């Protein structure tokens, strides 16, 4: 199974061939790097760092294998917000509200999925850029659309369309957050069709494995396709476009494919529980194999108010790389593989080889748990890391910094 890929659609058949070529090149480069590192430091196996790579079509493909994990916190950081110039802005905007959801009762002769589709699909749009297309959806009466960061990529304006018969509408990219793979696009609200009722967000902490999951999007450019499945797992992690980690991701077996990126994942009440972002694929493939991933709605609700105002979101950063190779991890904890120069951890006295076993007294079982713990903090926060070093435990006070634009 290859690493999850972003479900972004340009010329998807060409992209599939391109992905296979890129994966082969990346694997060859990883092996060469590992051999060089092993020659330089005999006795220690070198592992590749999984990083995002942009293809010629402006999309993102997973590259190399996961051996080391850059820890800076995942997507749902309670971090401070910065204005467009990087200066300290006012207090964080309040998160978007979650709306209580109850199952929709279908009308006679109609399925629940059909009823939800009839209500929600008018608010789902296609978003086209210079390099491809994806999906988005309307969330308010002011013309605010949600999509993925990797859909809009570097474009500042996009083309939005409601349905196959809708007009082309100019959309302005208001804000992006590569750390959560989310973006906000604004359109003139008068251009939205009258039947496009804004979609509302559910509280994703209430989602359970086995719940109904309904995806609406534009797979392979096929307008507003609906698929139904269940929530197949919770608490997954994904790599964001800037190389950091997205936490609390929802896994679903609802069929999603290239072009579904940025579309809503809905519960049985028609509320948004996530934004479809990535899929797992078989070697050399680009289509659905029953494993899709969505950024959870609580992350979306937290990040969107700042993006809507044109701000950047600042996430907490520890500045370490964690060894996540299970062959070398024999006890619970997060093993420090490397430190970023002048990063928070290095400045505080953390050393390579330290095993982090707790943050602020809360146990840390592995690399993902450490990332989640940092994710809940804000830049400037002080934390206490409990580490094992040379057979003894010590507590280290660390002041977190704002995460850099991409993994160092």
């Amino acid at each position: 199974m290859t690493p999850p890929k972003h479900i972004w659609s340009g010329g998807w058949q060409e992209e599939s061939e391109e992905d296979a070529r890129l994966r082969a090149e990346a694997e060859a480069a990883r092996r060469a790097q590992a051999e060089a590192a092993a020659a330089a430091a005999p006795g220690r196996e070198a592992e590749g760092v999984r990083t995002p790579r942009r293809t010629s079509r402006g999309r993102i493909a997973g590259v190399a294998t996961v051996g080391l994990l850059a820890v800076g916190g995942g997507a749902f950081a309670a971090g401070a917000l910065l204005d467009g110039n990087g200066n300290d802005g006012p207090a964080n905007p309040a998160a978007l509200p979650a709306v209580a959801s109850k199952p929709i009762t279908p009308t006679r002769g109609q399925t629940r999925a059909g009823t939800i589709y009839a209500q929600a699909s008018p608010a789902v749009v296609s978003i086209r850029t210079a390099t491809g297309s994806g999906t988005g959806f309307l969330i308010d009466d002011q013309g605010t659309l949600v999509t993925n960061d990797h859909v809009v990529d570097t474009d500042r304006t996009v083309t939005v369309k409601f349905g196959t018969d809708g007009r082309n509408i100019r959309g302005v990219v208001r804000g992006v957050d590569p750390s959560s793979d989310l973006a906000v696009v604004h359109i003139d609200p008068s251009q939205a069709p009258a039947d496009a009722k804004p979609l509302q967000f559910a509280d994703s902490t209430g989602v359970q494995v086995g719940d109904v999951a309904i995806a609406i999007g534009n797979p392979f450019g096929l307008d507003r396709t609906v698929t139904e499945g269940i929530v197949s797992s919770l608490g997954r992690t994904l790599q964001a476009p800037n190389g950091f980690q997205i936490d609390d991701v929802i896994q679903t077996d609802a069929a999603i494919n290239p072009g579904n990126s940025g579309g809503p994942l809905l519960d049985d009440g028609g509320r948004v529980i996530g934004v479809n972002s990535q899929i797992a694929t078989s070697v050399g493939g680009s289509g659905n194999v029953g494993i899709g991933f969505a950024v959870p709605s609580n992350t979306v609700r937290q990040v969107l108010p700042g993006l809507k105002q044109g701000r950047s979101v600042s996430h907490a950063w520890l500045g370490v790389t964690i060894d996540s190779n299970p062959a070398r991890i024999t006890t619970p904890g997060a093993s420090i593989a490397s430190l970023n120069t002048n990063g928070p951890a290095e400045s505080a006295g953390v050393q390579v080889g330290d095993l982090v076993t707790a943050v602020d007294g809360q146990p840390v079982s592995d690399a993902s748990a450490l990332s989640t713990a940092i994710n809940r903090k804000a830049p400037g926060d002080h934390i206490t890391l409990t580490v094992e070093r040379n057979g003894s435990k010590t507590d280290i006070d660390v002041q977190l910094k704002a995460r850099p634009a991409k993994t160092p």
Side-chain angles (χ1 to χ4, degrees), residues 51-64:
T51 58
R53 176 173 178 177
R54 295 195 179 276
T55 72
S56 59
R57 302 193 66 83
R59 48 188 302 281
I60 301 172
V63 177

Side-chain angles (χ1 to χ4, degrees), residues 280-300:
T281 61
S282 58
V283 175
S286 65
N288 174 268
V289 293
I291 301 177
F293 304 97
V295 179
S297 58
N298 282 7
T299 296
V300 186

Side-chain angles (χ1 to χ4, degrees), residues 1-301:
M1 188 73 71
T2 60
K5 64 180 292 182
H6 294 282
I7 40 180
W8 162 256
S9 176
W12 63 271
Q13 290 176 316
E14 296 176 20
E15 288 174 358
S16 179
E17 297 172 357
E18 178 75 354
D19 281 349
R21 181 183 67 79
L22 287 171
R23 280 193 292 271
E25 290 179 356
E27 179 62 18
R30 187 195 69 79
R31 289 178 179 172
Q33 182 182 26
E35 290 171 0
R44 178 173 180 177
E45 178 185 1
E47 285 289 326
V49 179
R50 183 183 174 196
T51 58
R53 176 173 178 177
R54 295 195 179 276
T55 72
S56 59
R57 302 193 66 83
R59 48 188 302 281
I60 301 172
V63 177
T65 58
V66 179
L68 304 176
L69 176 66
V71 175
F76 188 54
L81 294 172
L82 305 178
D83 63 25
N85 297 319
N87 300 316
D88 290 341
N92 295 357
L96 295 177
V99 177
S101 186
K102 62 179 181 179
I104 286 178
T105 301
T107 57
R108 185 177 179 85
Q110 193 172 32
T111 65
R112 177 176 292 165
T115 302
I116 291 173
Y117 178 79
Q119 293 181 7
S121 63
V124 179
V125 303
S126 66
I127 294 180
R128 190 167 68 248
T129 70
T131 55
S133 63
T135 303
F137 57 96
L138 190 69
I139 64 165
D140 60 28
D141 293 326
Q142 288 77 54
T144 304
L145 303 171
V146 175
T147 187
N148 284 138
D149 168 73
H150 76 262
V151 167
V152 300
D153 197 32
T154 58
D155 287 25
R156 298 281 68 92
T157 60
V158 297
T159 300
V160 174
K161 194 172 185 179
F162 288 87
T164 54
D165 299 326
R167 72 184 79 178
N168 288 337
I169 302 170
R170 180 177 182 269
V172 177
V173 178
R174 186 65 62 81
V176 297
D177 181 31
S179 286
S180 59
D181 196 15
L182 294 171
V184 164
V185 173
H186 182 264
I187 62 170
D188 181 343
S190 67
Q191 299 295 305
D195 62 344
K197 304 302 181 185
L199 302 186
Q200 297 176 308
F201 293 99
D203 180 351
S204 55
T205 61
V207 175
Q208 298 182 15
V209 172
D211 285 354
V212 170
I214 295 172
I216 303 177
N218 304 293
F220 305 125
L222 300 173
D223 177 64
R224 292 188 294 189
T225 297
V226 64
T227 53
E228 182 179 17
I230 62 170
V231 172
S232 51
S233 190
L234 295 169
R236 298 302 195 195
T237 60
L238 290 178
Q239 186 183 45
N242 61 359
F244 288 99
Q245 178 174 302
I246 304 175
D247 292 329
D248 300 324
V249 170
I250 297 172
Q251 180 181 312
T252 180
D253 69 350
I256 51 180
N257 286 286
N260 273 108
S261 272
L265 186 67
L266 306 167
D267 64 12
D268 57 7
R271 309 303 186 195
V272 178
I273 59 174
V275 176
N276 298 318
S277 181
Q278 298 186 32
I279 57 174
T281 61
S282 58
V283 175
S286 65
N288 174 268
V289 293
I291 301 177
F293 304 97
V295 179
S297 58
N298 282 7
T299 296
V300 186
R301 294 193 302 109

Side-chain angles (χ1 to χ4, degrees), residues 358-370:
V359 175
D360 292 337
Q362 298 300 309
V364 168
S365 59
D366 54 22
S368 180
L370 177 58

